[in-house]
Amino acid sequence: MRVAPAPGMRFLTVLFLEMVCYRGFILFLTFLFYTAYHLSRKPISIVKGELHRNCSTVIRPADLNITNNETWCDWAPFDQDNYQTLFGILDNCFLVAYAIGMFFSGIFGERLPLRYYLSFGMIMSGIFTCLFGLGFYLKIHSIYYYAVIQVFNGIMQTTGWPAVVACVGNWFGKGK
């Protein structure tokens, strides 16, 4: 004959299972959030190939009245011979802002509520990623626009790592 556990043991068992489920869910969410941060760094790498293409392999539309220009399909200012330097400037703007911002991001993350800090950083990072893409639709051809967007995106990207690590540390304890 099987004896039912005491009510206190049943309560502790349910509490333990709920806590394990909550911790697993929080770990999954923080992993998902940081993945979203990381993915928002990738669009510039993807669109570089579209901003400066090999126009000889692209079929020219018949209604496009242009001369025999080798860069007719490229996006200004990346249609020049120094397009690799311009892409390097954009990468450098992002990486320098990210590196400098990481020094301060941990300080802010410790002093601000994590959920607001993480939410603000994610939303702003998404906005700056969208603003980079909007340059095409708004027909912005200034390297300065793209460089400023990359600087602000790099700063907003720094909110991710310290906040996610702090969230995991708070939920799982410092020893784990």
Side-chain angles (χ1 to χ4, degrees):
M1 175 178 220
R2 186 171 171 183
V3 178
M9 284 302 291
R10 258 187 284 151
F11 174 74
L12 288 176
T13 304
V14 169
L15 183 67
F16 176 75
L17 288 175
E18 284 181 4
M19 189 59 105
V20 168
C21 287
Y22 286 142
R23 284 182 177 178
F25 183 66
I26 293 299
L27 183 62
F28 174 74
L29 278 180
T30 53
F31 178 79
L32 192 64
F33 288 160
Y34 195 71
T35 301
Y37 266 108
H38 192 70
L39 287 176
S40 70
R41 297 176 192 165
K42 292 298 171 191
I44 182 64
S45 301
I46 295 168
V47 300
K48 280 181 184 178
E50 292 299 314
L51 294 174
H52 186 86
R53 299 187 278 179
N54 183 358
C55 296
S56 64
T57 62
V58 178
I59 299 172
R60 186 180 309 189
D63 61 341
L64 192 60
N65 188 13
I66 58 172
T67 61
N68 260 342
N69 185 352
E70 294 178 357
T71 61
W72 67 270
C73 66
D74 295 335
W75 185 255
F78 307 105
D79 59 346
Q80 307 299 320
D81 289 337
N82 66 343
Y83 71 95
Q84 290 179 331
T85 302
L86 297 177
F87 287 142
I89 289 170
L90 294 183
D91 289 341
N92 199 23
C93 287
F94 176 84
L95 293 172
V96 168
Y98 184 80
I100 292 171
M102 282 302 264
F103 285 110
F104 301 105
S105 185
I107 295 168
F108 291 135
E110 289 176 349
R111 289 169 174 72
L112 298 172
L114 283 175
R115 62 181 162 210
Y116 298 131
Y117 186 64
L118 189 59
S119 299
F120 174 76
M122 287 188 76
I123 290 169
M124 293 305 293
S125 180
I127 286 172
F128 286 118
T129 301
C130 289
L131 284 174
F132 191 92
L134 278 174
F136 174 78
Y137 296 105
L138 299 176
K139 299 191 183 329
I140 297 173
H141 298 285
S142 171
I143 187 67
Y144 299 111
Y145 170 79
Y146 295 107
V148 168
I149 293 299
Q150 285 295 89
V151 166
F152 284 117
N153 194 15
I155 291 170
M156 289 298 113
Q157 285 283 324
T158 64
T159 62
W161 182 251
V164 167
V165 169
C167 283
V168 171
N170 290 342
W171 272 89
F172 289 92
K174 306 294 182 202
K176 293 185 181 182

